[in-house]
Amino acid sequence: MPASQPRSRARDRNNVLNRAEFLSLNQPLKGNQESRSSSRKQSGQAGAAGAQNSSPKERRQSQQLPEEDCMQLNPSFKGIAFNSLLAIDICMSKRLGVCANRASSWGGARSMINLLGITGHGIPWIAGTLICLVKSSTLAGQEVLMNLLLALLLDIMIVAGLQKLAKRKGPYDVNPGLLDYLTMDTYAFPAGHASRVAMLSKFFLNHLVLAIPLRILLVLWALCVGFSRVMIGRHHITDVLSGFVFGYLQFRLVELIWMSSNTCQMLISIW
């Protein structure tokens, strides 16, 4: 044992790592350890304070983000079908907007298409109905005209309300005209002209005696006015089709609340 101790001491003296300049390699600095531990404690305390200060709603949202991302990455079949139909509708509507501006392929016919659209506007129809009502001298004519006026007013209010709810823009950035602002027809869904011409054509087919050629022309007029709104870029195809459906429903509503001749005479006398 006494001989082995001097050998070990000599070995330690000969070891290069035991010199003073290499002591930092064998023993970690206490200052670094203390700074690292203090920084870890501070970060942990800051994280805990942030977690305490964050509201439960924010914590729930942070937990739900991965699930929402998964839902967006894996949409349902109904969502895929709806988005596909919407994309087809927008693409076809843009292709059919041949009179959306002067630079379009049919830009020269824009004035004529706008004139066709005026024939289905609400203001000229309301003004014409009032003029005919003043000049009418028969009870049957006044009854039909009063109910037609009611149908036109209902059409403007219903379409304006639906457009305010949907707030859908048209396929092109086309500003509404003055008559459109007067009837609050500023959005795309549903198409006000389409609903009006559908209601008017059905009303005339039911309450006026017309020959077959006139009945065919009336239906063609309604179709041309409706799809002229797609050609000038104001509405999508689905806006026009939904307008036709709403126009038919408005006609059915007017038939349910049809005002009798006595009621019409009372309203005319008040007016």
Side-chain angles (χ1 to χ4, degrees):
M1 290 294 294
S4 61
Q5 288 180 356
R7 291 178 192 169
S8 61
R9 289 175 182 172
R11 197 182 305 118
D12 293 336
R13 285 195 303 267
N14 295 328
N15 191 2
V16 179
L17 296 177
N18 288 331
R19 295 181 182 179
E21 60 268 23
F22 295 111
L23 286 176
S24 60
L25 297 177
N26 295 329
Q27 298 177 359
L29 295 177
K30 294 182 179 181
N32 291 339
Q33 287 183 345
E34 291 177 357
S35 61
R36 290 177 184 174
S37 61
S38 62
S39 63
R40 289 175 183 174
K41 288 180 181 179
Q42 290 177 359
S43 62
Q45 290 175 358
Q52 290 177 358
N53 294 330
S54 62
S55 61
K57 183 178 180 181
E58 292 177 354
R59 287 198 294 269
R60 285 198 301 270
Q61 288 179 353
S62 63
Q63 292 175 359
Q64 291 175 358
L65 282 177
E67 296 181 1
E68 293 176 357
D69 294 339
C70 292
M71 291 178 65
Q72 292 177 359
L73 292 174
N74 300 298
S76 62
F77 176 76
K78 292 182 180 179
I80 294 174
F82 177 77
N83 291 331
S84 300
L85 292 175
L86 188 62
I88 293 172
D89 178 36
I90 295 173
C91 180
M92 294 298 296
S93 300
K94 285 184 175 292
R95 286 180 177 273
L96 292 176
V98 293
C99 300
N101 48 58
R102 294 293 181 183
S104 300
S105 57
W106 289 16
R110 182 177 171 81
S111 300
M112 185 176 62
I113 298 299
N114 282 327
L115 183 62
L116 180 62
I118 291 176
T119 62
H121 206 282
I123 299 299
W125 277 101
I126 291 176
T129 304
L130 289 174
I131 293 172
C132 293
L133 186 60
V134 170
K135 293 186 177 182
S136 178
S137 58
T138 62
L139 295 178
Q142 291 176 355
E143 179 183 353
V144 172
L145 289 171
M146 280 296 296
N147 284 279
L148 177 59
L149 182 61
L150 173 64
L152 291 170
L153 294 176
L154 282 176
D155 173 74
I156 290 176
M157 291 187 293
I158 291 173
V159 171
L162 291 173
Q163 287 187 356
K164 290 295 183 182
L165 289 175
K167 291 185 178 180
R168 188 187 188 189
K169 298 291 186 179
Y172 290 91
D173 190 12
V174 179
N175 294 325
L178 177 61
L179 295 178
D180 296 327
Y181 281 111
L182 291 176
T183 56
M184 296 174 288
D185 186 11
T186 55
Y187 290 101
F189 180 88
H193 286 68
S195 67
R196 193 169 302 113
V197 295
M199 182 270 296
L200 288 171
S201 61
K202 186 63 177 174
F203 189 93
F204 291 150
L205 289 174
N206 273 37
H207 297 286
L208 293 180
V209 179
L210 299 174
I212 293 178
L214 292 178
R215 298 172 76 90
I216 295 174
L217 287 176
L218 188 62
V219 174
L220 291 176
W221 166 75
L223 293 174
C224 290
V225 171
F227 284 102
S228 69
R229 308 302 290 172
V230 180
M231 295 177 66
I232 64 171
R234 279 279 283 120
H235 296 280
H236 300 87
I237 297 175
T238 53
D239 300 334
V240 173
L241 294 178
S242 60
F244 288 150
V245 173
F246 282 116
Y248 176 78
L249 294 177
Q250 290 167 8
F251 165 77
R252 300 301 301 174
L253 177 61
V254 172
E255 291 291 311
L256 289 175
I257 61 174
W258 185 268
M259 293 186 295
S260 62
S261 179
N262 295 330
T263 305
C264 294
Q265 290 302 313
M266 182 183 66
L267 293 175
I268 292 173
S269 63
I270 294 173
W271 178 43

